Structures are given as structure tokens and as C-alpha cells.
């Protein structure tokens, strides 16, 4: 008897007490409501699936774990499309050092580009007879879903570890104001599937994420999978070690990062160019709801015997002052409209000191952790930055890192 190949899971196919489902690689489509009111906890499927969404799982409160098996060739490896292609490499570094006492830096690109964990490691070990801490920079991108990244880090955090949370003060995702896997602002839609593009080389990390803590998980995968079909198939051996940045070629064994996860390339000052400004403080992102999400992860980290500290990524004081003065438009040849602050959160007419106080007050009131510095202590000027307002130049990285070191030493 020759059985027909099953390609589609239709509405209401799975109900009842089923807990684990493994879809064969013949499945191309999972319709909305295919899983309805059932006890599913984990799902296995292949990355050649073309249609699947969060709406495929209706009223499935225990659905927490995805296992994605790679059957398609990778598309993003050799494209070197984003510096965050090394996201999976950072987790390799964390896993290899899971048994050691660690300082872990986590945040967006402001922490990725502006904190040198080598300096932190040297400072905390300077009076020890042997290495006490290893410091790892796990920061990646301020648009990436923070709950997902916390879930991915948690299994490798242990007794005596220190986590430094250093999100940008305008990061809705880093401050857990939003938990979507599909972040999107006008004219910046390429970020929507960037997180999945950076995990293409290690889908196993996705299985560490409790998908109940995020939204649009399967929607994001489906959009990512559709977009990458237009890219040329490659192999895992094509992942780059030679990098071209602003017309200059670099070669690093781990690409964009060093062996502690830090941004490895030269970061020259951009000079007086204010028009590339991004800096903002959005105190409205630190709400009761968003802080409950953050504090729940801080609690999970402390439950493993680790400590949690908070500091905002470095900010450009010049840009902040201009942004207040011009209510969001940076003066220049055509002006620069900041894209990180949504229209639903307008600029309020208050002076610069009130703006700082509102952010620091929100941090103090809502976040349940030690704060390493006030937001004003993280201010720098335009000449201190590399390409964006959260990415310090080589000369300024040690200064910001020293702020963290000095504050940490007061607590340890």
C-alpha cells in the first residue's frame, strides 16, 4: 500500500492531551487553528516549512518549546549582512565557560560596541592569585527580543556569576516594553527577522526559549523563512572570517568578535557629525508591566546564585540636548528624524535635567537590582562616538568600562 504524502495540517487536527508533536519534513503548511485547545508542550519541525503562525496554536497555554531541524542550506552565513551574525558564536563562548565564575554583559549594540570585558576581567582579577572571573560580552542588538536572549543565557549562569544589564535607554525590546519577535518601525523593517537570521547557524538555541514569554515567535520564523528563499544557498563553511566595514577589509578568526565576545574591529571617532545621532531616553518604556517582566528574569538569575546590576548604554549628550530643543528633529542638511521613539510616546516639554530625573526615577522605582550609575553618568559627546550614538570610539570605550568597573568594585 502506498500512502499519500502529508503536506498540510488543517484546522482542528490536534486537540486533547497531546504533549509532544513531531512534524515530518514533508509538512509544508500548518493552518490557523491546526492545534486547538490541546496540551501541547513542545513541537519539532523542519525549516523547510512554508506556512506556520502563532494562530496555528489556539488556546494552547502549555506550548513552550520549539525544536527546529535544519534541512535547508543556510542563506545568511557568507552574506555578512549584519555584525550580529556572530550571535551564535557568543553563545558558544558562554557555553564553553559555563562552569567558570563569570561576569556577563548583556544589552544591545551600545553594550556590544562600548564595553570591553577584557578590561573588566583584568580589573576584577588584579589582586587574585589565580583567575577568579572570566568576563564575556553577550550584548548583541537593541532590537532583539530580550526575554528570548535571557532564556538562552539562563542555563549557563551559575553560583557567583555577575550579570550586567546595559540596554540602550531607548530600547523598547531591551527594557521589555515590547516582547514581540517582529520589531518594526517606519523605514526600519529589515530588523523584523534579523534575530532568526543570526540563529540560522544554531537552531538549538531556539529550544532554550520559553515561547510563552514572547509574542510572534512562529510569525517571525515564517517571515524569516520566506525572505531567505530569495538568497543564494550556501554552506556552513562559507561563514566569513574576512569582513568589509566602510570599505576596509578585516580578518578575524571569529569574525566581528574577539574571544570574549567584544566587537573586534577598530572604532575611530566620527568627529563632529551630529546628524548620525540616535540618542534618546524613553522613561515611558519603564512601566509596571515592563518592569515585572525584567524583574522576573532578575529573580531567575538571583535564584541561580548570581547577582544583577543595571546601567544604561552610553548616550550622546549633544544629541539629547538637540533632540529636546527640536522635539525629535536633529538639524542638518535635511534634518534627521529619530526612528526609535514611537509616535504614541511624544516628546514632553521639559528641561534637560527633568528629562534625566524622569528616567532615573523610573529605574529606581521599578527595577529590582543594583544600579551602577545614573543616566547622566553615562553621557559622552559626539566626538566620543564611532558610527552611532550608542557605539563609543576606541578612546572612549575604556572610560565607560571604567565606570562599570569602579561601581562593581564597590559592591563586590
Amino acid at each position: 500500500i502506498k500512502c499519500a504524502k502529508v503536506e498540510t495540517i488543517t484546522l482542528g487536527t490536534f486537540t486533547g492531551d497531546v504533549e509532544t508533536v513531531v512534524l515530518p519534513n514533508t509538512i509544508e503548511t500548518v493552518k490557523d487553528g491546526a492545534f486547538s485547545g490541546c496540551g501541547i508542550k513542545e513541537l519539532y519541525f523542519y525549516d523547510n516549512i512554508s506556512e506556520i503562525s502563532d494562530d496555528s496554536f489556539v488556546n494552547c497555554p502549555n506550548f513552550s518549546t520549539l525544536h527546529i531541524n535544519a534541512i535547508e542550506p543556510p542563506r545568511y552565513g557568507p552574506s555578512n549582512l549584519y555584525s550580529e551574525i556572530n550571535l551564535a558564536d557568543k553563545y558558544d563562548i558562554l557555553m564553553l565557560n559555563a562552569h567558570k565564575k563569570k561576569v556577563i554583559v548583556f544589552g544591545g549594540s551600545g553594550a556590544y560596541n562600548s564595553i570591553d570585558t577584557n578590561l573588566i576581567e583584568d580589573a576584577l582579577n588584579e589582586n587574585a592569585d589565580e583567575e577568579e572571573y572570566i568576563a564575556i560580552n553577550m550584548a548583541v542588538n537593541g532590537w532583539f527580543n530580550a526575554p528570548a536572549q535571557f532564556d538562552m543565557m539562563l542555563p549557563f549562569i551559575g553560583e557567583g556569576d555577575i550579570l550586567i544589564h546595559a540596554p540602550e535607554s531607548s530600547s523598547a525590546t531591551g527594557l521589555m516594553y515590547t516582547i514581540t519577535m517582529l520589531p518594526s518601525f517606519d523605514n526600519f523593517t529589515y530588523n523584523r527577522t534579523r534575530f532568526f537570521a543570526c540563529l540560522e547557524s544554531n537552531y538549538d538555541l531556539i529550544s532554550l526559549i520559553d515561547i510563552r514569554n514572547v509574542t510572534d515567535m512562529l510569525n517571525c520564523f515564517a517571515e524569516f523563512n520566506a525572505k531567505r528563499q530569495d538568497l543564494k544557498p550556501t554552506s556552513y563553511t562559507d561563514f566569513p572570517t574576512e569582513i568589509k566595514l566602510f570599505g576596509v577589509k578585516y580578518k578575524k578568526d571569529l569574525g566581528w568578535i574577539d574571544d570574549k565576545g567584544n566587537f573586534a574591529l577598530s572604532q575611530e571617532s566620527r568627529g563632529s557629525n551630529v546628524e548620525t545621532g540616535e540618542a534618546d531616553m524613553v522613561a515611558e518604556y519603564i512601566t509596571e508591566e515592563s518592569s515585572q517582566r525584567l524583574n522576573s528574569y532578575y529573580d531567575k538569575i538571583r535564584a541561580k546564585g548570581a547577582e544583577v546590576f543595571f546601567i544604561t548604554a552610553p548616550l550622546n549628550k549633544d544629541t539629547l540636548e538637540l533632540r529636546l530643543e527640536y522635539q525629535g528633529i536633529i538639524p542638518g542638511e535635511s534634518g534627521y528624524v529619530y526612528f526609535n521613539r514611537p509616535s504614541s510616546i511624544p516628546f514632553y516639554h521639559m528641561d534637560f535635567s527633568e528629562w534625566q530625573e524622569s528616567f532615573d526615577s523610573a529605574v529606581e522605582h521599578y527595577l529590582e537590582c543594583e544600579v551602577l550609575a545614573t543616566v547622566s553618568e553615562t553621557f559622552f559627546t559626539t566626538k566620543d562616538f564611532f558610527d552611532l550614538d550608542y557605539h563609543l570610539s576606541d578612546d572612549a570605550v575604556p572610560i565607560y568600562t571604567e565606570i562599570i568597573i569602579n561601581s562593581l568594585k564597590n559592591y563586590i
Side-chain angles (χ1 to χ4, degrees), residues 74 76-80 232-241:
Y76 285 97
S79 71
N80 204 26
K232 179 182 177 182
T234 64
S235 72
Y236 290 103
T237 58
D238 293 325
F239 278 60
T241 57

Side-chain angles (χ1 to χ4, degrees), residues 2-66:
K2 186 175 181 179
C3 297
K5 182 173 70 172
V6 178
E7 297 179 347
T8 302
I9 307 295
T10 58
L11 173 68
T13 299
F14 287 92
T15 59
D17 295 331
V18 59
E19 293 188 355
T20 301
V21 175
V22 180
L23 300 181
N25 62 16
T26 59
I27 298 296
E28 297 177 358
T29 303
V30 180
K31 293 291 188 182
D32 289 354
F35 294 78
S36 179
C38 67
I40 183 172
K41 294 181 178 179
E42 57 184 343
L43 173 70
Y44 292 77
F45 66 91
Y46 289 82
D47 69 342
N48 62 336
I49 203 163
S50 59
E51 183 182 332
I52 190 169
S53 75
D54 290 68
D55 289 335
S56 303
F57 299 83
V58 179
N59 191 23
C60 299
N62 300 320
F63 184 31
S64 61
T65 308
L66 290 180

Side-chain angles (χ1 to χ4, degrees), residues 225-244:
N225 218 17
K227 284 184 176 181
R228 69 178 183 148
Q229 299 309 312
D230 296 330
L231 301 176
K232 179 182 177 182
T234 64
S235 72
Y236 290 103
T237 58
D238 293 325
F239 278 60
T241 57
E242 186 173 86
I243 299 155
K244 189 173 183 180

Side-chain angles (χ1 to χ4, degrees), residues 109-110 114 168 170 278-280 314-315 338 385 388-392:
S109 60
S114 303
E168 292 90 351
S170 63
E278 280 193 303
D280 200 356
L315 283 162
Y338 184 59
F385 289 89
L388 300 176
D389 273 341
Y390 295 114
H391 305 167
L392 291 177

Side-chain angles (χ1 to χ4, degrees), residues 109-120 137 258 262-269 311 314 380-381 383-388 390-405:
S109 60
Y112 182 8
N113 289 72
S114 303
I115 299 176
D116 187 344
T117 55
N118 295 295
L119 296 178
I120 295 175
N137 192 331
D258 65 16
N262 299 294
F263 191 71
L265 307 186
S266 176
Q267 299 179 176
E268 298 298 324
S269 169
I311 187 173
F380 289 79
T381 59
K383 65 179 178 58
D384 295 316
F385 289 89
F386 166 42
D387 55 347
L388 300 176
Y390 295 114
H391 305 167
L392 291 177
S393 67
D394 288 334
D395 291 335
V397 167
I399 299 172
Y400 178 69
T401 305
E402 192 68 22
I403 295 171
I404 294 171
I405 291 169

